[in-house]
Amino acid sequence: AKEPVRVLVTGAAGQIGYALVPMIARGVMLGSDQPVILHMLDIPPAAEALDGVKMELVDAAFPLLKGVVATIDVVEACTGVNIAIMVGGFPRKEGMERKDVMSKNVSIYKSQASALEKHAAPNCKVLVVANPANTNALILKEFAPSIPAKNITCLTRLDHNRALGQISERLNVHVSDVKNAIIWGNHSSTQYPDVNHATVKTPSGEKPVRELVKDDAWLNGEFITTVQQRGAAIIKARKLSSALSAASSACDHIRDWVLGTPQGTWVSMGVYSDGSYNVPAGLIYSFPVICKNGEWSIVQGLNIDEFSRKKLDLTAEELTEEKALAYSCLS
Ligand code: NAI
């Protein structure tokens, strides 16, 4: 039998946490033959709710779940973890300045970075979900220098899946037949959902999305804004942010990273930029990646037209500004 993998979920008493932990315990993230031990962290005001989640995990009698650690102690939460899903953070409240939210999250990610660096298992893989996701991941990377930069990522898979979903609805095809969309840049409304290389499986072979949709105005306009604004549309409809789809996409992100992407398929991940596609090095930026043997690599050599170039640069500029704002909160 396989050794259990320890998976940390921070902010586990929150709504994404509540959707995510049962998925992990069912094997959605790491496979139906992989036992897991869940580590759940939250803060004192949520301690009682966190205990309630632990009670429900016991009650659900998951065969793969070999243990649950529910704690408000960051060291206990981080000890020995192989995978860390960082969902906890400080939300933007009405009337708050961007800088105030950033400052709260910078201090959270700085201290959690140190705890992970000291106490997590070697080669721990980190996925930051909490917003501002890219910049929180960057701060985590900066303050956990002994964790390899390639192990620190942020979630843009939800945006990627949203792009596939929009194409599937438009063409009335199954979403699993659509692949190779790309989310470039920030997990924010400046992200660039790009379908210039995306394809659809049809009875007569794989066809480019552009050829099938035959409506460049929609692809260059409404499609992009729908994906960019989807989070806000869900909040408007549900009065709560997207939790089910965020949790599911977090599982997709880790599963593909650990177990590999299917042959011929790439996915989007926020990763530490090496300067590929002339994106400034040193940002956490979403790129198309393939994964193999537990490591991602950026898909190289894709043609970037002028329209796309502008959009790649715009979202990079926003991330550069966010980085500067985050650093100004440190001093
Ligand atoms: P929520 O407010 O329901 O849950 C957040 C939880 O984090 C709360 O239980 C809170 O007590 C906890 N928390 C706060 N500070 C903490 C700390 N220092 N350590 C540990 N836990 C802490 O929020 P929800 O809806 O679950 O969303 C979580 C985050 O995910 C938000 O930042 C949200 O903006 C982000 N998000 C990101 C998405 C993505 O695609 N990257 C998609 C949807 C949401």
Side-chain angles (χ1 to χ4, degrees), residues 11 13-16 42-43 87-89 108 112 129-131 155 187 241-242:
Q15 52 144 4
I16 293 177
D42 214 295
I43 49 177
V87 186
I108 292 171
Q112 296 186 352
V129 176
N131 283 315
L155 187 70
H187 169 71
S241 68
S242 41

Side-chain angles (χ1 to χ4, degrees), residues 135-190:
T135 301
N136 286 343
L138 186 66
I139 294 298
L140 199 156
K141 187 225 152 253
E142 301 288 282
F143 288 93
S146 72
I147 301 180
K150 68 175 177 14
N151 287 27
I152 296 169
T153 64
C154 83
L155 187 70
T156 55
R157 182 63 176 270
L158 174 54
D159 310 291
H160 180 98
N161 288 345
R162 284 167 173 165
L164 300 180
Q166 288 303 307
I167 297 298
S168 120
E169 293 220 302
R170 172 81 184 198
L171 293 174
N172 200 20
V173 296
H174 194 265
V175 70
S176 60
D177 290 334
V178 188
K179 67 175 189 179
N180 296 352
I182 304 168
I183 302 299
W184 299 97
N186 201 359
H187 169 71
S188 78
S189 58
T190 68

Side-chain angles (χ1 to χ4, degrees), residues 3-294:
E3 281 291 301
V5 168
R6 290 180 184 269
V7 183
L8 166 66
V9 176
T10 72
Q15 52 144 4
I16 293 177
Y18 191 71
L20 178 59
V21 292
M23 291 183 190
I24 298 171
R26 274 225 175 263
V28 175
M29 180 176 274
L30 294 169
S32 52
D33 62 344
Q34 177 60 63
V36 292
I37 297 174
L38 270 169
H39 288 221
M40 303 194 296
L41 176 71
D42 214 295
I43 49 177
E48 199 182 349
L50 188 66
D51 281 335
V53 177
K54 182 178 177 178
M55 285 158 71
E56 285 204 71
L57 286 169
V58 171
D59 296 349
F62 294 111
L64 288 171
L65 186 60
K66 301 300 177 193
V68 181
V69 177
T71 181
I72 55 169
D73 175 24
V74 62
V75 171
E76 188 187 3
C78 292
T79 299
V81 298
N82 308 100
I83 291 171
I85 317 293
M86 314 301 284
V87 186
F90 197 91
R92 184 163 187 174
K93 293 182 182 151
E94 234 175 298
M96 264 180 99
E97 296 286 338
R98 227 162 76 91
K99 168 134 193 178
D100 299 332
V101 195
M102 182 67 84
S103 163
K104 298 266 189 201
N105 284 296
V106 161
S107 75
I108 292 171
Y109 278 82
K110 188 178 165 189
S111 73
Q112 296 186 352
S114 312
L116 278 173
E117 168 163 82
K118 290 198 195 89
H119 304 287
N123 211 29
C124 175
K125 288 180 159 65
V126 182
L127 166 61
V128 178
V129 176
N131 283 315
N134 301 55
T135 301
N136 286 343
L138 186 66
I139 294 298
L140 199 156
K141 187 225 152 253
E142 301 288 282
F143 288 93
S146 72
I147 301 180
K150 68 175 177 14
N151 287 27
I152 296 169
T153 64
C154 83
L155 187 70
T156 55
R157 182 63 176 270
L158 174 54
D159 310 291
H160 180 98
N161 288 345
R162 284 167 173 165
L164 300 180
Q166 288 303 307
I167 297 298
S168 120
E169 293 220 302
R170 172 81 184 198
L171 293 174
N172 200 20
V173 296
H174 194 265
V175 70
S176 60
D177 290 334
V178 188
K179 67 175 189 179
N180 296 352
I182 304 168
I183 302 299
W184 299 97
N186 201 359
H187 169 71
S188 78
S189 58
T190 68
Q191 65 177 251
Y192 172 42
D194 173 3
V195 290
N196 287 330
H197 310 277
T199 61
V200 179
K201 197 160 106 192
T202 76
S204 48
E206 263 176 22
K207 296 266 164 70
V209 162
R210 284 225 177 247
E211 192 182 306
L212 295 173
V213 171
K214 296 189 190 86
D215 183 350
D216 282 343
W218 182 78
L219 283 173
N220 294 344
E222 199 185 324
F223 163 74
I224 293 175
T225 50
T226 301
V227 175
Q228 289 172 334
Q229 305 293 337
R230 189 70 158 182
I234 306 269
I235 292 174
K236 188 162 176 285
R238 245 172 54 83
K239 321 287 179 253
L240 283 170
S241 68
S242 41
L244 169 171
S245 51
S248 179
S249 303
C251 291
D252 288 346
H253 176 114
I254 297 288
R255 192 197 56 237
D256 285 345
W257 189 3
V258 172
L259 301 175
T261 41
Q263 185 72 39
T265 301
W266 66 65
V267 294
S268 303
M269 283 171 69
V271 299
Y272 194 60
S273 170
D274 61 353
S276 292
Y277 296 98
N278 289 319
V279 168
L283 296 176
I284 300 269
Y285 188 99
S286 180
F287 286 99
V289 300
I290 56 164
C291 306
K292 207 175 163 182
N293 302 325

